[in-house]
Amino acid sequence: MERLMLRGLLVACLASIPFLFKKKGLIIWLLVFFSKGVLATIVDNFAVGTGRIKYPVRFFPKIFKTNILYNLLYFPLLSVVWIQITYYAPPASILLKSLYFSVPMSICQWWMEKKTRLFEWKRWSIFHTFLCVNFSLFTIRGFISIIKKIPVQDINSKNNLQ
């Protein structure tokens, strides 16, 4: 059953890519995607390395100790959606919208930890998941806020053609 769930998640993630990576803002969405993949991998490697979480059923178990589907595809895609939703939102709205993502994800992981073999929490809880999800969402949102402030020159401007 767990392998079927992982394959279903893989298909759903791959099917969503054309809808999330539209031409407008593609560079920002790719920055979010790849930076979130790096951040999720670092946090998950720490959690797995310290024995807090274990992934008994995962893709490429002989190569990776973490759930690479979650770290490198699902969570980055979810972050792209979150950034797209909060891109022009005021700070108070961003805080509320983060709960729309972190609360269901925490509850879903808690349920899956109880009912499947996808996760085994050793020294981990639903609150750790909630905090880590919010930490990573706000870290990426802060990163994008900084990127938005950097002025971008037009490639076809007169100064660049001389």
Side-chain angles (χ1 to χ4, degrees), residues 49-158:
T50 57
R52 296 171 191 270
I53 300 174
K54 185 178 177 186
Y55 299 101
V57 179
R58 62 190 182 275
F59 287 134
F60 308 112
K62 293 181 180 178
I63 300 171
F64 300 102
K65 291 183 179 183
T66 63
N67 188 337
I68 60 167
L69 176 62
Y70 179 79
N71 290 336
L72 299 177
L73 193 59
Y74 173 72
F75 208 21
L77 286 174
L78 192 69
S79 297
V80 169
V81 171
W82 189 67
I83 295 295
Q84 289 176 349
I85 289 171
T86 64
Y87 196 73
Y88 296 108
S93 177
I94 292 171
L95 180 62
L96 180 64
K97 289 176 182 179
S98 73
L99 296 175
Y100 294 151
F101 286 82
S102 59
V103 170
M105 185 180 286
S106 299
I107 292 170
C108 185
Q109 281 191 4
W110 172 79
W111 180 83
M112 287 194 309
E113 197 273 334
K114 299 291 183 204
K115 302 292 182 184
T116 70
R117 293 183 46 236
L118 292 173
F119 307 101
E120 281 183 19
W121 289 349
K122 304 291 183 183
R123 295 183 323 222
W124 198 263
S125 71
I126 191 171
F127 301 109
H128 290 96
T129 299
F130 176 78
L131 291 174
C132 283
V133 168
N134 277 305
F135 167 77
S136 62
L137 288 176
F138 285 117
T139 300
I140 295 303
R141 185 63 175 86
F143 173 66
I144 294 305
S145 294
I146 292 169
I147 295 295
K148 281 173 45 175
K149 292 186 186 320
I150 298 173
V152 179
Q153 290 184 346
D154 185 14
I155 295 173
N156 296 324
S157 70
K158 287 184 179 180

Side-chain angles (χ1 to χ4, degrees), residues 1-8 56-61 118:
M1 177 174 128
E2 287 85 2
R3 292 261 179 225
L4 184 62
M5 290 174 75
L6 288 175
R7 288 184 185 125
V57 179
R58 62 190 182 275
F59 287 134
F60 308 112
L118 292 173

